[in-house]
Amino acid sequence: MSRFRQRAVLIGCVLAAALAVAGLFVTDYGIDPDLWLTGLALGFLALLAALDPWLHRKRAAGLATDANLDAAANDLVKALRGQWNEECRARGLSEHLLDLHWSADEGEPGHSDAVVGSFLRSSRMVFLGEPGAGKSTTVMLLTLGMLDRHADGSPVPFLLPLSTWDPDEEDVRTWMTRRLYEDHPALRNTELYGSYAGDLLVEQRRVFPVLDGLDQIPADRRADAVDRINRAFPHTVPLVLTCRADEFAETGAHVVAAHVVQLQPLDHEEIAGYLRSTSDPVAAARWEPIFLHLRGEPDGRLAEALSTPLAVWLAGGVYAHGEPSELLDRARFPDRRAIEDHLVDALVGSAFGDRGAAHQARASQVWPRDRAQRWLAFLAREMNARGVRELGWWDLRRSVGRTWLAFLGALVLGLIGGFGVMWLMAYASTPDLAPITGLGAGLAVAVAALYASGQRAVKPRLGVWRSLLVVSGVLGGAAGLVFGALYGLSAGLVVGLGIAVAVALRFALGTTAELSHPSSPQWTMTRDRVAVWTGSLVLAVVFGAAAGLVFGPYQTGMVGLGLACGLMLGFTLSVLHLRWWWYTVARIWLALRGRLPWELTVFLDDARKLGVLRQAGAAYQFRHALVQDRLASATRERVRSSA
């Protein structure tokens, strides 16, 4: 729905609930509760009919028009610009940025501060370089620059890590479309953007790919991956690709009509200039022996190790308050690999357990160093085992066996739902049926949870199931008829109206109204949590009111008991198909085993602030593949350092 209709539905649901409660409990004016509830139910359905976007079939059900796609592209630009601007600020690129330079087989060499101009001249570029050379940062800045220059009708750059693509399973355009919907679910808003907006954005070349990390695809599939990319995006389509230089040469393939450039190592002047600019005068003075060594041995092991932006950034952070001259010790650091491993270890070690570092990074708390390293190592190993470089909170469930996860989730939900029903029936007019009723309800919820535990792609509602009015009316009417036949007209009206309100809320809160909000892990998780607790509270009110009407004449306190039991049952029904529940089950199970912290979302956000992680849309990544691989290594040799 549009933002206006979304807010109108929310206000209507709140008013319907409030007026229903008023009609039930304010009876001093001679108002017949049944008549009041009947009128309220009809009025609520009339409101849904007026706000139902599906009834406007020409706008909502048809394929996205050019005007729809223009609106989707413009809103997507706003969301992506906000996302990458925030990431640039988090990485400190807005304050301190190395000016990288590259060489080219054809054409003139260039610099990273002119990357947008180079791309505008060629429209297809391949960035090569060694690990840590700044390929990902360069294409992120290119993406942001193209977003700032976006004009109506021009294609939108969409930055994606190639580690999430399996060439044997998906066509590259299908994968790109799927990722577009996953990162920006508001593209399914048919009222604003029409049907299949994401598919058409890709099909009509309104979005062009910025593909980062061809080297993250298995070696035996890279040549085929390049061939598929060439066929999917011919020479007239803008394209950006990054890869490590040696891995790209091994493929023996080439990207059609692309300008291939290779990022060059930093020289000692660039290294010294960056470290001086990012250090206070005392820290800069401690670097002078290193600068003298680099000038004297420009081809030595230390110059080679510090020749990449990643290594220079690591060194600047690690030795902000330490003594960098220890890097001159040839016995401890005989080669480039030893220096890089030491810097990665020191980054993780110095980021945690230090109150000063936590305060400077505005982290929420000081995390114990040993446990933080163990938690990050677990995540890195899990990601390496799946062959991915992205950590989506919804994928945490993959770290728990599928069968075990389904059993745990179904058991907990079955116990909660069954106990809620049994507790209510135990104080109702039929307490003898409480155990059987509770057992039946628990088994039903558990079976539903087992079915929902499978990871299935979300399919858009089609046909009549797009209709807010039809779905709310049918489900509410069915529940109302059942309860009305069992417990009387008032109970049926209360339950039916409550179910209709709950369904309407799920429609209003289930998808993003617009694209303009930048995607982030916290934001996507918050939307799931809002849907859970909104549905739970609505059903709690429904059951509380129904319990007061049905069982009130026999027992006191049934309204409160109905609220409590309804909250439990509403929770079980609300979380079944939401990723948040299965993430929570996996998080608690892994925390009980000591694999991850209890406050996982807070820990990941702090790790990002401390520079160990970075954010890519709704997912996290390690600051670099070297950091992930180093943490995932089973036999890590810790190098003790005065840093």
PDB file of all heavy atoms in Angstrom, residues 76-108:
ATOM      1  N   LEU A  76      14.449   3.952  -5.641  1.00  0.00           N
ATOM      2  CA  LEU A  76      15.574   3.058  -5.396  1.00  0.00           C
ATOM      3  C   LEU A  76      16.875   3.847  -5.273  1.00  0.00           C
ATOM      4  O   LEU A  76      17.736   3.519  -4.436  1.00  0.00           O
ATOM      5  CB  LEU A  76      15.676   2.039  -6.534  1.00  0.00           C
ATOM      6  CG  LEU A  76      16.767   0.978  -6.412  1.00  0.00           C
ATOM      7  CD1 LEU A  76      16.531   0.109  -5.181  1.00  0.00           C
ATOM      8  CD2 LEU A  76      16.816   0.112  -7.667  1.00  0.00           C
ATOM      9  N   VAL A  77      17.036   4.884  -6.079  1.00  0.00           N
ATOM     10  CA  VAL A  77      18.221   5.741  -5.985  1.00  0.00           C
ATOM     11  C   VAL A  77      18.309   6.372  -4.594  1.00  0.00           C
ATOM     12  O   VAL A  77      19.382   6.419  -3.982  1.00  0.00           O
ATOM     13  CB  VAL A  77      18.186   6.825  -7.077  1.00  0.00           C
ATOM     14  CG1 VAL A  77      19.236   7.901  -6.815  1.00  0.00           C
ATOM     15  CG2 VAL A  77      18.435   6.198  -8.438  1.00  0.00           C
ATOM     16  N   LYS A  78      17.188   6.856  -4.061  1.00  0.00           N
ATOM     17  CA  LYS A  78      17.189   7.471  -2.733  1.00  0.00           C
ATOM     18  C   LYS A  78      17.606   6.460  -1.663  1.00  0.00           C
ATOM     19  O   LYS A  78      18.402   6.771  -0.777  1.00  0.00           O
ATOM     20  CB  LYS A  78      15.804   8.029  -2.415  1.00  0.00           C
ATOM     21  CG  LYS A  78      15.366   9.165  -3.310  1.00  0.00           C
ATOM     22  CD  LYS A  78      13.943   9.613  -2.970  1.00  0.00           C
ATOM     23  CE  LYS A  78      13.457  10.690  -3.916  1.00  0.00           C
ATOM     24  NZ  LYS A  78      12.045  11.066  -3.633  1.00  0.00           N
ATOM     25  N   ALA A  79      17.049   5.252  -1.745  1.00  0.00           N
ATOM     26  CA  ALA A  79      17.378   4.234  -0.750  1.00  0.00           C
ATOM     27  C   ALA A  79      18.853   3.842  -0.821  1.00  0.00           C
ATOM     28  O   ALA A  79      19.536   3.738   0.205  1.00  0.00           O
ATOM     29  CB  ALA A  79      16.487   3.008  -0.937  1.00  0.00           C
ATOM     30  N   LEU A  80      19.356   3.606  -2.038  1.00  0.00           N
ATOM     31  CA  LEU A  80      20.753   3.192  -2.197  1.00  0.00           C
ATOM     32  C   LEU A  80      21.711   4.318  -1.816  1.00  0.00           C
ATOM     33  O   LEU A  80      22.765   4.064  -1.216  1.00  0.00           O
ATOM     34  CB  LEU A  80      20.998   2.760  -3.639  1.00  0.00           C
ATOM     35  CG  LEU A  80      20.314   1.456  -4.072  1.00  0.00           C
ATOM     36  CD1 LEU A  80      20.488   1.241  -5.570  1.00  0.00           C
ATOM     37  CD2 LEU A  80      20.869   0.268  -3.294  1.00  0.00           C
ATOM     38  N   ARG A  81      21.361   5.551  -2.142  1.00  0.00           N
ATOM     39  CA  ARG A  81      22.236   6.662  -1.783  1.00  0.00           C
ATOM     40  C   ARG A  81      22.347   6.785  -0.261  1.00  0.00           C
ATOM     41  O   ARG A  81      23.445   6.976   0.276  1.00  0.00           O
ATOM     42  CB  ARG A  81      21.711   7.958  -2.381  1.00  0.00           C
ATOM     43  CG  ARG A  81      22.665   9.146  -2.166  1.00  0.00           C
ATOM     44  CD  ARG A  81      22.032  10.442  -2.618  1.00  0.00           C
ATOM     45  NE  ARG A  81      21.834  10.462  -4.063  1.00  0.00           N
ATOM     46  CZ  ARG A  81      20.687  10.763  -4.659  1.00  0.00           C
ATOM     47  NH1 ARG A  81      19.627  11.053  -3.928  1.00  0.00           N
ATOM     48  NH2 ARG A  81      20.606  10.779  -5.973  1.00  0.00           N
ATOM     49  N   GLY A  82      21.227   6.681   0.441  1.00  0.00           N
ATOM     50  CA  GLY A  82      21.281   6.725   1.893  1.00  0.00           C
ATOM     51  C   GLY A  82      22.075   5.572   2.477  1.00  0.00           C
ATOM     52  O   GLY A  82      22.849   5.741   3.426  1.00  0.00           O
ATOM     53  N   GLN A  83      21.915   4.386   1.905  1.00  0.00           N
ATOM     54  CA  GLN A  83      22.628   3.198   2.391  1.00  0.00           C
ATOM     55  C   GLN A  83      24.137   3.352   2.246  1.00  0.00           C
ATOM     56  O   GLN A  83      24.897   3.121   3.198  1.00  0.00           O
ATOM     57  CB  GLN A  83      22.136   1.980   1.608  1.00  0.00           C
ATOM     58  CG  GLN A  83      22.940   0.709   1.825  1.00  0.00           C
ATOM     59  CD  GLN A  83      22.484  -0.401   0.906  1.00  0.00           C
ATOM     60  OE1 GLN A  83      21.303  -0.547   0.616  1.00  0.00           O
ATOM     61  NE2 GLN A  83      23.428  -1.191   0.403  1.00  0.00           N
ATOM     62  N   TRP A  84      24.611   3.743   1.063  1.00  0.00           N
ATOM     63  CA  TRP A  84      26.055   3.807   0.827  1.00  0.00           C
ATOM     64  C   TRP A  84      26.690   5.050   1.427  1.00  0.00           C
ATOM     65  O   TRP A  84      27.869   5.025   1.789  1.00  0.00           O
ATOM     66  CB  TRP A  84      26.341   3.705  -0.668  1.00  0.00           C
ATOM     67  CG  TRP A  84      25.971   2.361  -1.224  1.00  0.00           C
ATOM     68  CD1 TRP A  84      25.046   2.087  -2.191  1.00  0.00           C
ATOM     69  CD2 TRP A  84      26.497   1.091  -0.817  1.00  0.00           C
ATOM     70  NE1 TRP A  84      24.964   0.742  -2.406  1.00  0.00           N
ATOM     71  CE2 TRP A  84      25.844   0.101  -1.574  1.00  0.00           C
ATOM     72  CE3 TRP A  84      27.438   0.696   0.118  1.00  0.00           C
ATOM     73  CZ2 TRP A  84      26.105  -1.252  -1.431  1.00  0.00           C
ATOM     74  CZ3 TRP A  84      27.716  -0.664   0.271  1.00  0.00           C
ATOM     75  CH2 TRP A  84      27.058  -1.610  -0.495  1.00  0.00           C
ATOM     76  N   ASN A  85      25.940   6.123   1.574  1.00  0.00           N
ATOM     77  CA  ASN A  85      26.465   7.278   2.309  1.00  0.00           C
ATOM     78  C   ASN A  85      26.725   6.919   3.764  1.00  0.00           C
ATOM     79  O   ASN A  85      27.758   7.299   4.333  1.00  0.00           O
ATOM     80  CB  ASN A  85      25.482   8.450   2.231  1.00  0.00           C
ATOM     81  CG  ASN A  85      25.757   9.354   1.034  1.00  0.00           C
ATOM     82  OD1 ASN A  85      26.907   9.602   0.689  1.00  0.00           O
ATOM     83  ND2 ASN A  85      24.708   9.841   0.402  1.00  0.00           N
ATOM     84  N   GLU A  86      25.789   6.193   4.360  1.00  0.00           N
ATOM     85  CA  GLU A  86      25.973   5.775   5.745  1.00  0.00           C
ATOM     86  C   GLU A  86      27.172   4.843   5.883  1.00  0.00           C
ATOM     87  O   GLU A  86      27.948   4.933   6.834  1.00  0.00           O
ATOM     88  CB  GLU A  86      24.704   5.075   6.231  1.00  0.00           C
ATOM     89  CG  GLU A  86      24.828   4.384   7.580  1.00  0.00           C
ATOM     90  CD  GLU A  86      25.213   5.321   8.707  1.00  0.00           C
ATOM     91  OE1 GLU A  86      24.918   6.530   8.612  1.00  0.00           O
ATOM     92  OE2 GLU A  86      25.841   4.856   9.678  1.00  0.00           O
ATOM     93  N   GLU A  87      27.355   3.946   4.920  1.00  0.00           N
ATOM     94  CA  GLU A  87      28.485   3.028   4.989  1.00  0.00           C
ATOM     95  C   GLU A  87      29.806   3.771   4.810  1.00  0.00           C
ATOM     96  O   GLU A  87      30.807   3.443   5.463  1.00  0.00           O
ATOM     97  CB  GLU A  87      28.332   1.943   3.918  1.00  0.00           C
ATOM     98  CG  GLU A  87      29.383   0.847   3.974  1.00  0.00           C
ATOM     99  CD  GLU A  87      29.412   0.099   5.305  1.00  0.00           C
ATOM    100  OE1 GLU A  87      28.410   0.128   6.034  1.00  0.00           O
ATOM    101  OE2 GLU A  87      30.457  -0.503   5.614  1.00  0.00           O
ATOM    102  N   CYS A  88      29.839   4.770   3.950  1.00  0.00           N
ATOM    103  CA  CYS A  88      31.053   5.585   3.792  1.00  0.00           C
ATOM    104  C   CYS A  88      31.408   6.295   5.091  1.00  0.00           C
ATOM    105  O   CYS A  88      32.577   6.358   5.483  1.00  0.00           O
ATOM    106  CB  CYS A  88      30.866   6.597   2.665  1.00  0.00           C
ATOM    107  SG  CYS A  88      31.082   5.924   1.012  1.00  0.00           S
ATOM    108  N   ARG A  89      30.403   6.833   5.756  1.00  0.00           N
ATOM    109  CA  ARG A  89      30.663   7.492   7.046  1.00  0.00           C
ATOM    110  C   ARG A  89      31.156   6.493   8.073  1.00  0.00           C
ATOM    111  O   ARG A  89      32.069   6.785   8.861  1.00  0.00           O
ATOM    112  CB  ARG A  89      29.393   8.190   7.530  1.00  0.00           C
ATOM    113  CG  ARG A  89      29.057   9.471   6.799  1.00  0.00           C
ATOM    114  CD  ARG A  89      27.966  10.244   7.501  1.00  0.00           C
ATOM    115  NE  ARG A  89      26.697   9.521   7.466  1.00  0.00           N
ATOM    116  CZ  ARG A  89      25.779   9.686   6.511  1.00  0.00           C
ATOM    117  NH1 ARG A  89      26.000  10.534   5.527  1.00  0.00           N
ATOM    118  NH2 ARG A  89      24.648   9.006   6.549  1.00  0.00           N
ATOM    119  N   ALA A  90      30.558   5.296   8.095  1.00  0.00           N
ATOM    120  CA  ALA A  90      30.968   4.289   9.079  1.00  0.00           C
ATOM    121  C   ALA A  90      32.411   3.842   8.854  1.00  0.00           C
ATOM    122  O   ALA A  90      33.124   3.538   9.813  1.00  0.00           O
ATOM    123  CB  ALA A  90      30.031   3.086   9.007  1.00  0.00           C
ATOM    124  N   ARG A  91      32.870   3.815   7.616  1.00  0.00           N
ATOM    125  CA  ARG A  91      34.244   3.395   7.318  1.00  0.00           C
ATOM    126  C   ARG A  91      35.237   4.554   7.386  1.00  0.00           C
ATOM    127  O   ARG A  91      36.434   4.344   7.189  1.00  0.00           O
ATOM    128  CB  ARG A  91      34.314   2.768   5.921  1.00  0.00           C
ATOM    129  CG  ARG A  91      33.461   1.533   5.742  1.00  0.00           C
ATOM    130  CD  ARG A  91      33.765   0.870   4.417  1.00  0.00           C
ATOM    131  NE  ARG A  91      32.739  -0.083   4.035  1.00  0.00           N
ATOM    132  CZ  ARG A  91      32.781  -0.827   2.931  1.00  0.00           C
ATOM    133  NH1 ARG A  91      33.819  -0.709   2.109  1.00  0.00           N
ATOM    134  NH2 ARG A  91      31.807  -1.664   2.641  1.00  0.00           N
ATOM    135  N   GLY A  92      34.748   5.748   7.664  1.00  0.00           N
ATOM    136  CA  GLY A  92      35.636   6.899   7.755  1.00  0.00           C
ATOM    137  C   GLY A  92      36.140   7.401   6.425  1.00  0.00           C
ATOM    138  O   GLY A  92      37.122   8.152   6.366  1.00  0.00           O
ATOM    139  N   LEU A  93      35.474   7.009   5.321  1.00  0.00           N
ATOM    140  CA  LEU A  93      35.947   7.404   3.998  1.00  0.00           C
ATOM    141  C   LEU A  93      35.660   8.864   3.695  1.00  0.00           C
ATOM    142  O   LEU A  93      36.288   9.451   2.806  1.00  0.00           O
ATOM    143  CB  LEU A  93      35.293   6.519   2.930  1.00  0.00           C
ATOM    144  CG  LEU A  93      35.598   5.012   3.035  1.00  0.00           C
ATOM    145  CD1 LEU A  93      34.866   4.257   1.949  1.00  0.00           C
ATOM    146  CD2 LEU A  93      37.094   4.755   2.957  1.00  0.00           C
ATOM    147  N   SER A  94      34.697   9.455   4.406  1.00  0.00           N
ATOM    148  CA  SER A  94      34.401  10.861   4.160  1.00  0.00           C
ATOM    149  C   SER A  94      35.467  11.783   4.739  1.00  0.00           C
ATOM    150  O   SER A  94      35.578  12.950   4.348  1.00  0.00           O
ATOM    151  CB  SER A  94      33.036  11.218   4.764  1.00  0.00           C
ATOM    152  OG  SER A  94      33.006  10.906   6.149  1.00  0.00           O
ATOM    153  N   GLU A  95      36.295  11.261   5.675  1.00  0.00           N
ATOM    154  CA  GLU A  95      37.337  12.076   6.307  1.00  0.00           C
ATOM    155  C   GLU A  95      38.728  11.733   5.789  1.00  0.00           C
ATOM    156  O   GLU A  95      39.544  12.610   5.546  1.00  0.00           O
ATOM    157  CB  GLU A  95      37.286  11.880   7.823  1.00  0.00           C
ATOM    158  CG  GLU A  95      35.945  12.277   8.444  1.00  0.00           C
ATOM    159  CD  GLU A  95      35.889  11.933   9.914  1.00  0.00           C
ATOM    160  OE1 GLU A  95      36.884  11.361  10.420  1.00  0.00           O
ATOM    161  OE2 GLU A  95      34.868  12.216  10.556  1.00  0.00           O
ATOM    162  N   HIS A  96      39.010  10.423   5.671  1.00  0.00           N
ATOM    163  CA  HIS A  96      40.350   9.990   5.259  1.00  0.00           C
ATOM    164  C   HIS A  96      40.207   8.969   4.137  1.00  0.00           C
ATOM    165  O   HIS A  96      39.669   7.889   4.344  1.00  0.00           O
ATOM    166  CB  HIS A  96      41.110   9.371   6.438  1.00  0.00           C
ATOM    167  CG  HIS A  96      41.195  10.271   7.638  1.00  0.00           C
ATOM    168  ND1 HIS A  96      41.979  11.395   7.670  1.00  0.00           N
ATOM    169  CD2 HIS A  96      40.563  10.207   8.830  1.00  0.00           C
ATOM    170  CE1 HIS A  96      41.851  11.991   8.842  1.00  0.00           C
ATOM    171  NE2 HIS A  96      41.002  11.300   9.564  1.00  0.00           N
ATOM    172  N   LEU A  97      40.680   9.312   2.970  1.00  0.00           N
ATOM    173  CA  LEU A  97      40.554   8.430   1.821  1.00  0.00           C
ATOM    174  C   LEU A  97      41.856   8.439   1.031  1.00  0.00           C
ATOM    175  O   LEU A  97      42.345   9.500   0.635  1.00  0.00           O
ATOM    176  CB  LEU A  97      39.393   8.877   0.929  1.00  0.00           C
ATOM    177  CG  LEU A  97      39.157   8.051  -0.339  1.00  0.00           C
ATOM    178  CD1 LEU A  97      38.759   6.623   0.037  1.00  0.00           C
ATOM    179  CD2 LEU A  97      38.077   8.693  -1.207  1.00  0.00           C
ATOM    180  N   LEU A  98      42.398   7.252   0.820  1.00  0.00           N
ATOM    181  CA  LEU A  98      43.593   7.130  -0.014  1.00  0.00           C
ATOM    182  C   LEU A  98      43.216   7.318  -1.483  1.00  0.00           C
ATOM    183  O   LEU A  98      42.224   6.756  -1.959  1.00  0.00           O
ATOM    184  CB  LEU A  98      44.211   5.744   0.180  1.00  0.00           C
ATOM    185  CG  LEU A  98      45.161   5.580   1.363  1.00  0.00           C
ATOM    186  CD1 LEU A  98      45.409   4.105   1.623  1.00  0.00           C
ATOM    187  CD2 LEU A  98      46.478   6.289   1.092  1.00  0.00           C
ATOM    188  N   ASP A  99      43.998   8.104  -2.188  1.00  0.00           N
ATOM    189  CA  ASP A  99      43.778   8.308  -3.616  1.00  0.00           C
ATOM    190  C   ASP A  99      44.508   7.200  -4.371  1.00  0.00           C
ATOM    191  O   ASP A  99      45.717   7.288  -4.618  1.00  0.00           O
ATOM    192  CB  ASP A  99      44.268   9.688  -4.033  1.00  0.00           C
ATOM    193  CG  ASP A  99      43.988   9.961  -5.507  1.00  0.00           C
ATOM    194  OD1 ASP A  99      43.143   9.241  -6.078  1.00  0.00           O
ATOM    195  OD2 ASP A  99      44.601  10.878  -6.078  1.00  0.00           O
ATOM    196  N   LEU A 100      43.780   6.140  -4.703  1.00  0.00           N
ATOM    197  CA  LEU A 100      44.387   5.008  -5.387  1.00  0.00           C
ATOM    198  C   LEU A 100      44.602   5.345  -6.862  1.00  0.00           C
ATOM    199  O   LEU A 100      43.896   6.164  -7.444  1.00  0.00           O
ATOM    200  CB  LEU A 100      43.474   3.785  -5.261  1.00  0.00           C
ATOM    201  CG  LEU A 100      43.074   3.395  -3.832  1.00  0.00           C
ATOM    202  CD1 LEU A 100      42.157   2.183  -3.868  1.00  0.00           C
ATOM    203  CD2 LEU A 100      44.303   3.115  -2.986  1.00  0.00           C
ATOM    204  N   HIS A 101      45.540   4.676  -7.457  1.00  0.00           N
ATOM    205  CA  HIS A 101      45.782   4.883  -8.878  1.00  0.00           C
ATOM    206  C   HIS A 101      45.876   3.537  -9.563  1.00  0.00           C
ATOM    207  O   HIS A 101      46.177   2.519  -8.936  1.00  0.00           O
ATOM    208  CB  HIS A 101      47.070   5.693  -9.121  1.00  0.00           C
ATOM    209  CG  HIS A 101      48.291   5.105  -8.480  1.00  0.00           C
ATOM    210  ND1 HIS A 101      48.609   5.285  -7.168  1.00  0.00           N
ATOM    211  CD2 HIS A 101      49.282   4.325  -8.994  1.00  0.00           C
ATOM    212  CE1 HIS A 101      49.734   4.653  -6.879  1.00  0.00           C
ATOM    213  NE2 HIS A 101      50.166   4.070  -7.969  1.00  0.00           N
ATOM    214  N   TRP A 102      45.589   3.540 -10.841  1.00  0.00           N
ATOM    215  CA  TRP A 102      45.579   2.293 -11.588  1.00  0.00           C
ATOM    216  C   TRP A 102      46.282   2.468 -12.920  1.00  0.00           C
ATOM    217  O   TRP A 102      46.458   3.572 -13.421  1.00  0.00           O
ATOM    218  CB  TRP A 102      44.148   1.795 -11.796  1.00  0.00           C
ATOM    219  CG  TRP A 102      43.280   2.665 -12.653  1.00  0.00           C
ATOM    220  CD1 TRP A 102      43.351   2.869 -13.995  1.00  0.00           C
ATOM    221  CD2 TRP A 102      42.179   3.458 -12.204  1.00  0.00           C
ATOM    222  NE1 TRP A 102      42.378   3.725 -14.425  1.00  0.00           N
ATOM    223  CE2 TRP A 102      41.628   4.103 -13.340  1.00  0.00           C
ATOM    224  CE3 TRP A 102      41.591   3.686 -10.965  1.00  0.00           C
ATOM    225  CZ2 TRP A 102      40.541   4.946 -13.264  1.00  0.00           C
ATOM    226  CZ3 TRP A 102      40.500   4.528 -10.891  1.00  0.00           C
ATOM    227  CH2 TRP A 102      39.984   5.151 -12.015  1.00  0.00           C
ATOM    228  N   SER A 103      46.661   1.323 -13.479  1.00  0.00           N
ATOM    229  CA  SER A 103      47.232   1.282 -14.825  1.00  0.00           C
ATOM    230  C   SER A 103      46.253   0.536 -15.719  1.00  0.00           C
ATOM    231  O   SER A 103      45.397  -0.214 -15.248  1.00  0.00           O
ATOM    232  CB  SER A 103      48.585   0.562 -14.815  1.00  0.00           C
ATOM    233  OG  SER A 103      48.430  -0.778 -14.351  1.00  0.00           O
ATOM    234  N   ALA A 104      46.370   0.758 -17.021  1.00  0.00           N
ATOM    235  CA  ALA A 104      45.452   0.137 -17.975  1.00  0.00           C
ATOM    236  C   ALA A 104      46.235  -0.357 -19.178  1.00  0.00           C
ATOM    237  O   ALA A 104      47.199   0.271 -19.616  1.00  0.00           O
ATOM    238  CB  ALA A 104      44.374   1.129 -18.408  1.00  0.00           C
ATOM    239  N   ASP A 105      45.796  -1.523 -19.693  1.00  0.00           N
ATOM    240  CA  ASP A 105      46.431  -2.044 -20.898  1.00  0.00           C
ATOM    241  C   ASP A 105      46.152  -1.140 -22.095  1.00  0.00           C
ATOM    242  O   ASP A 105      46.989  -0.986 -22.985  1.00  0.00           O
ATOM    243  CB  ASP A 105      45.916  -3.456 -21.187  1.00  0.00           C
ATOM    244  CG  ASP A 105      46.319  -4.433 -20.093  1.00  0.00           C
ATOM    245  OD1 ASP A 105      47.329  -4.161 -19.412  1.00  0.00           O
ATOM    246  OD2 ASP A 105      45.622  -5.441 -19.912  1.00  0.00           O
ATOM    247  N   GLU A 106      44.958  -0.583 -22.108  1.00  0.00           N
ATOM    248  CA  GLU A 106      44.580   0.334 -23.175  1.00  0.00           C
ATOM    249  C   GLU A 106      44.075   1.620 -22.541  1.00  0.00           C
ATOM    250  O   GLU A 106      43.274   1.606 -21.628  1.00  0.00           O
ATOM    251  CB  GLU A 106      43.480  -0.269 -24.056  1.00  0.00           C
ATOM    252  CG  GLU A 106      43.905  -1.560 -24.749  1.00  0.00           C
ATOM    253  CD  GLU A 106      42.783  -2.135 -25.579  1.00  0.00           C
ATOM    254  OE1 GLU A 106      41.718  -1.485 -25.662  1.00  0.00           O
ATOM    255  OE2 GLU A 106      42.964  -3.219 -26.144  1.00  0.00           O
ATOM    256  N   GLY A 107      44.540   2.737 -23.020  1.00  0.00           N
ATOM    257  CA  GLY A 107      44.102   4.009 -22.467  1.00  0.00           C
ATOM    258  C   GLY A 107      45.058   4.519 -21.411  1.00  0.00           C
ATOM    259  O   GLY A 107      46.089   3.919 -21.103  1.00  0.00           O
ATOM    260  N   GLU A 108      44.678   5.649 -20.839  1.00  0.00           N
ATOM    261  CA  GLU A 108      45.539   6.309 -19.867  1.00  0.00           C
ATOM    262  C   GLU A 108      45.290   5.777 -18.458  1.00  0.00           C
ATOM    263  O   GLU A 108      44.205   5.299 -18.147  1.00  0.00           O
ATOM    264  CB  GLU A 108      45.277   7.817 -19.901  1.00  0.00           C
ATOM    265  CG  GLU A 108      45.597   8.477 -21.234  1.00  0.00           C
ATOM    266  CD  GLU A 108      45.323   9.958 -21.205  1.00  0.00           C
ATOM    267  OE1 GLU A 108      44.817  10.439 -20.167  1.00  0.00           O
ATOM    268  OE2 GLU A 108      45.613  10.630 -22.211  1.00  0.00           O
TER     269      GLU A 108
END
